[in-house]
């Protein structure tokens, strides 16, 4: 493939040495502007930023979390427990009072203890940290891979945008030159009308020839109007691609050479995108297989609790704990997830093979299209030269009144059609180069990510 592309460049260079081509200077500026301001590309850039934020969130899961918690409850009634402290202690207290001859030991009542807290507060700062959680490690790895996915997706669209900008620019060139071709032919038809009017005044012309010449001139005016409308549409679409006002003027420059960059890239972003998707699925598969690994977390509470808003050294407390979660049985759901993820990986690998073949086919077809478009362009230029020679002969004879009006108009139309055909083939050639550059993914992308 690389040899074919090198050969194509060598063949193309010989043609560019003796023909005019449109400069890449203005076009490169427009491409840079499009890469910086295209609305869809900006949306892809936002998606990339979101993926980076998600990755940062995944990394933060390794760090401890600190939270302040506070609660206040008060209640009456509900469940309670009888505590017969009076029944148990009053006989003892009575005996003690008799022995001492005093009332130092008063009688007490049985107690009723409610289970619901009354005027109770609890405030604490909890610090928790994961000690062992394989899902956190897997999630971090997956989010890193998704960042790369977003970046590759952005590059894929950027390459497509570059191709579309180039093709749209070439369409503007062709539309602009088409207007010039029609206007040049219009001048010829105006001269033909004036010639027929002069011949009629001299008594050498026919009214029917004048009417025919005027009809052809009106047809040409219609073609010019259509061509100008096509030019405006082409300009509007080009400005749309680079996110400018649709009626903004477009700079078209000429140069002696063109420099298409056709060095083949080792691996296209589409292939890297699918490979990255496979890695994501494999990371998910690994995470699912680690379902049996325990999840262990630790926490430390520092706080104060009590009733009636009492705050003292006695109300302060700390509490440390470690928790573990070990899966035992969940209806084989984990095994089903593992099988499902394996199918996803297998499907992605099949997609990789299919896309690889499609991209290889695209490169081959793009190369053949360039060669074919170049040959058609060369043939069209030969046809144009022949049409010009034929028109020169017919035009000279027409001034002498030696040819029919129909023959003159036919010769004029042949030149116009040949010039338009050259423009079309040249536009097809430039567009095929843009398609080949896209298929080889060789354009050096430079845009703000």
């Amino acid at each position: 493939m690389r040899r074919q592309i090198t050969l194509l460049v060598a063949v193309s260079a010989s043609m560019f040495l003796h023909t005019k081509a449109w400069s890449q200077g203005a076009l490169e500026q427009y491409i840079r502007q499009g890469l910086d301001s295209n609305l869809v590309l900006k949306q892809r850039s936002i998606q990339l930023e979101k993926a980076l934020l998600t990755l940062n969130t995944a990394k933060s899961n390794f760090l401890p979390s600190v939270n302040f918690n506070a609660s206040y409850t008060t209640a009456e009634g509900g469940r309670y427990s009888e505590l017969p402290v009076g029944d148990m202690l009053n006989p003892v207290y009575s005996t003690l009072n008799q022995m001492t001859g005093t009332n130092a030991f008063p009688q007490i009542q049985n107690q009723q203890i409610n289970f619901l807290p009354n005027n109770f507060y609890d405030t604490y700062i909890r610090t928790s940290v994961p000690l062992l959680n394989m899902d956190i490690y897997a999630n971090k790895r997956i989010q890193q891979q998704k960042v790369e996915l977003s970046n590759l997706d952005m590059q894929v669209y950027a390459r497509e945008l570059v191709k579309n900008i180039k093709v749209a620019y070439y369409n503007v060139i062709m539309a602009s030159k088409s207007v010039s071709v029609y206007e040049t032919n219009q001048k010829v038809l105006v001269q033909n009308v004036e010639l027929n009017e002069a011949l009629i005044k001299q008594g050498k012309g026919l009214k029917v020839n004048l009417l025919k010449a005027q009809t052809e001139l009106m047809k040409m005016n219609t073609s010019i109007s259509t061509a100008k409308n096509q030019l405006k549409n082409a300009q509007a679409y080009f400005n749309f691609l680079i996110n400018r006002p649709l009626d903004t003027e477009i700079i078209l420059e000429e140069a002696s050479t063109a420099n298409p960059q056709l060095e083949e890239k080792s691996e296209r972003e589409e292939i890297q995108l699918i490979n990255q998707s496979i890695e994501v699925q494999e990371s998910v598969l690994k995470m699912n297989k680690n379902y049996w690994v325990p999840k262990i977390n630790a926490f430390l509470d520092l706080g104060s609790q009590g009733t009636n808003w009492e705050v003292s050294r006695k109300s302060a407390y700390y509490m440390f704990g470690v928790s573990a979660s070990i899966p035992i049985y969940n209806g084989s759901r984990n095994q089903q997830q593992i099988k499902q993820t394996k199918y996803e990986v297998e499907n992605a690998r099949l997609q990789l093979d299919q896309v690889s073949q499609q991209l290889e086919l695209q490169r081959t077809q793009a190369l053949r299209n360039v060669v074919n478009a170049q040959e058609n362009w060369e043939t069209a230029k030969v046809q144009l030269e022949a049409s010009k020679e034929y028109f020169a002969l017919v035009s000279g004879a027409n001034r002498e009144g030696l040819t029919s009006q129909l023959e003159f108009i036919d010769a004029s139309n042949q030149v116009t059609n040949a010039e338009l055909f050259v423009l079309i083939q040249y536009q097809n050639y430039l567009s095929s180069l843009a398609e080949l550059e896209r298929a080889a993914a060789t354009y050096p992308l430079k845009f703000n990510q």
Side-chain angles (χ1 to χ4, degrees):
M1 184 68 186
R2 186 183 300 275
R3 293 180 179 178
Q4 292 176 313
I5 294 178
T6 305
L7 177 62
L8 174 62
V9 175
V11 174
S12 302
S14 64
M15 178 182 63
F16 279 119
L17 289 176
H18 63 272
T19 60
K20 280 189 175 183
W22 291 97
S23 171
Q24 302 296 303
L27 178 56
E28 286 300 321
Q29 294 180 1
Y30 287 135
I31 290 175
R32 288 195 295 270
Q33 183 176 355
L35 292 176
D36 291 337
S37 62
N38 181 267
L39 295 178
V40 177
L41 201 56
K42 285 185 176 181
Q43 295 175 10
R44 303 294 174 92
S45 179
I46 291 175
Q47 294 298 322
L48 177 58
E49 292 297 328
K50 289 174 61 178
L52 288 171
L53 291 176
T54 305
L55 174 59
N56 291 334
T57 302
K59 291 180 179 179
S60 68
N61 290 330
F62 290 93
L63 302 176
S65 61
V66 181
N67 298 284
F68 174 77
N69 301 276
S71 64
Y72 171 78
T73 55
T74 184
E76 290 185 4
R79 293 185 303 157
Y80 64 91
S81 175
E82 293 285 353
L83 186 61
V85 291
D87 295 341
M88 291 186 296
L89 297 179
N90 284 339
V92 177
Y93 286 173
S94 296
T95 302
L96 291 174
N97 287 332
Q98 291 176 1
M99 292 175 62
T100 60
T102 64
N103 292 321
F105 300 94
Q107 300 293 297
I108 61 175
Q109 300 292 325
N110 290 333
Q111 298 295 314
Q112 178 179 303
I113 300 176
N114 293 320
F115 288 108
L116 295 177
N118 183 23
N119 199 21
F120 175 80
Y121 79 92
D122 184 13
T123 60
Y124 61 94
I125 295 176
R126 168 165 291 187
T127 302
S128 57
V129 60
L131 300 180
L132 178 61
N133 191 333
M134 300 304 296
D135 290 350
I136 296 179
Y137 292 94
N139 185 50
K140 176 187 173 183
R141 184 168 56 253
I142 291 171
Q143 297 307 324
Q144 288 174 333
Q145 293 165 343
K146 286 187 176 181
V147 169
E148 185 62 23
L149 279 175
S150 298
N151 185 38
L152 290 171
D153 181 67
M154 188 174 177
Q155 292 182 35
V156 169
Y157 179 79
R159 291 199 181 279
E160 194 68 21
L161 177 63
V162 170
K163 184 203 74 172
N164 290 337
I165 290 175
K166 285 190 174 185
V167 173
Y169 187 77
Y170 301 147
N171 287 337
V172 174
I173 292 175
M174 189 191 73
S176 176
K177 298 296 289 184
S178 297
V179 172
S180 300
V181 169
Y182 283 126
E183 289 178 342
T184 300
N185 188 260
Q186 182 189 44
K187 295 177 181 179
V188 174
L189 294 179
V190 169
Q191 292 176 356
N192 185 45
V193 170
E194 293 174 349
L195 175 62
N196 279 278
E197 290 175 344
L199 291 175
I200 290 177
K201 290 180 181 180
Q202 296 173 7
K204 299 180 181 180
L206 299 175
K207 183 69 173 178
V208 65
N209 290 339
L210 176 60
L211 293 175
K212 180 65 176 176
Q214 291 174 339
T215 300
E216 290 299 321
L217 179 58
M218 288 186 288
K219 289 182 180 179
M220 184 54 59
N221 291 336
T222 302
S223 297
I224 291 175
S225 178
T226 302
K228 288 182 177 179
N229 182 64
Q230 292 175 345
L231 174 59
K232 290 180 180 179
N233 290 337
Q235 290 173 333
Y237 178 67
F238 178 81
N239 286 322
F240 163 77
L241 287 176
I242 60 177
N243 193 24
R244 298 197 307 176
L246 300 183
D247 57 350
T248 304
E249 182 181 358
I250 300 173
I251 300 175
L252 302 178
E253 298 178 347
E254 282 186 304
S256 59
T257 60
N259 185 28
Q261 302 183 26
L262 301 177
E263 189 69 21
E264 186 178 10
K265 187 178 176 66
S266 59
E267 187 175 62
R268 283 183 54 166
E269 285 83 1
E270 290 86 346
I271 300 297
Q272 299 177 45
L273 196 64
I274 299 177
N275 281 328
Q276 197 67 33
S277 298
I278 293 176
E279 291 183 9
V280 170
Q281 293 298 332
E282 289 177 342
S283 296
V284 174
L285 178 60
K286 184 177 180 181
M287 181 179 66
N288 291 338
K289 287 182 176 180
N290 288 331
Y291 72 93
W292 56 270
V293 179
K295 294 179 176 62
I296 303 176
N297 300 281
F299 70 91
L300 173 65
D301 291 348
L302 299 176
S304 174
Q305 62 178 220
T307 58
N308 300 319
W309 297 104
E310 177 187 359
V311 179
S312 64
R313 296 186 62 180
K314 291 183 178 181
S315 65
Y317 74 96
Y318 81 90
M319 181 169 58
F320 172 78
V322 177
S323 64
S325 175
I326 303 175
I328 297 177
Y329 177 76
N330 64 353
S332 300
R333 287 192 295 270
N334 292 320
Q335 296 298 329
Q336 298 300 326
Q337 289 179 352
I338 292 174
K339 291 181 180 179
Q340 183 178 359
T341 309
K342 286 182 178 179
Y343 287 134
E344 294 291 342
V345 173
E346 183 179 355
N347 183 66
R349 287 172 177 166
L350 292 175
Q351 183 184 9
L352 176 62
D353 294 338
Q354 180 185 9
V355 172
S356 299
Q357 294 177 8
Q358 289 176 341
L359 295 180
E360 182 62 30
L361 176 62
Q362 182 187 26
R363 283 192 292 266
T364 302
Q365 291 177 337
L367 179 60
R368 291 172 179 171
N369 290 340
V370 169
V371 175
N372 180 254
Q374 179 185 351
E375 293 174 351
N376 292 341
W377 183 28
E378 294 288 355
T379 302
K381 289 190 291 184
V382 174
Q383 293 176 355
L384 175 59
E385 293 301 321
S387 298
K388 287 182 177 180
E389 292 180 5
Y390 174 67
F391 177 74
L393 295 174
V394 173
S395 180
N398 183 62
R399 286 192 294 270
E400 301 296 330
L402 301 178
T403 59
S404 65
Q405 188 64 204
L406 183 63
E407 187 175 3
F408 174 81
I409 293 175
D410 178 66
S412 176
N413 289 337
Q414 284 187 27
V415 174
T416 301
N417 293 334
E419 289 178 337
L420 292 175
F421 188 65
V422 169
L423 287 176
I424 292 174
Q425 297 307 316
Y426 180 53
Q427 191 271 345
N428 289 340
Y429 174 69
L430 293 178
S431 297
S432 66
L433 285 179
E435 292 285 352
L436 179 57
E437 183 183 63
R438 171 67 186 95
T442 57
Y443 185 85
L445 293 177
K446 295 179 181 179
F447 54 92
N448 296 326
Q449 296 188 11

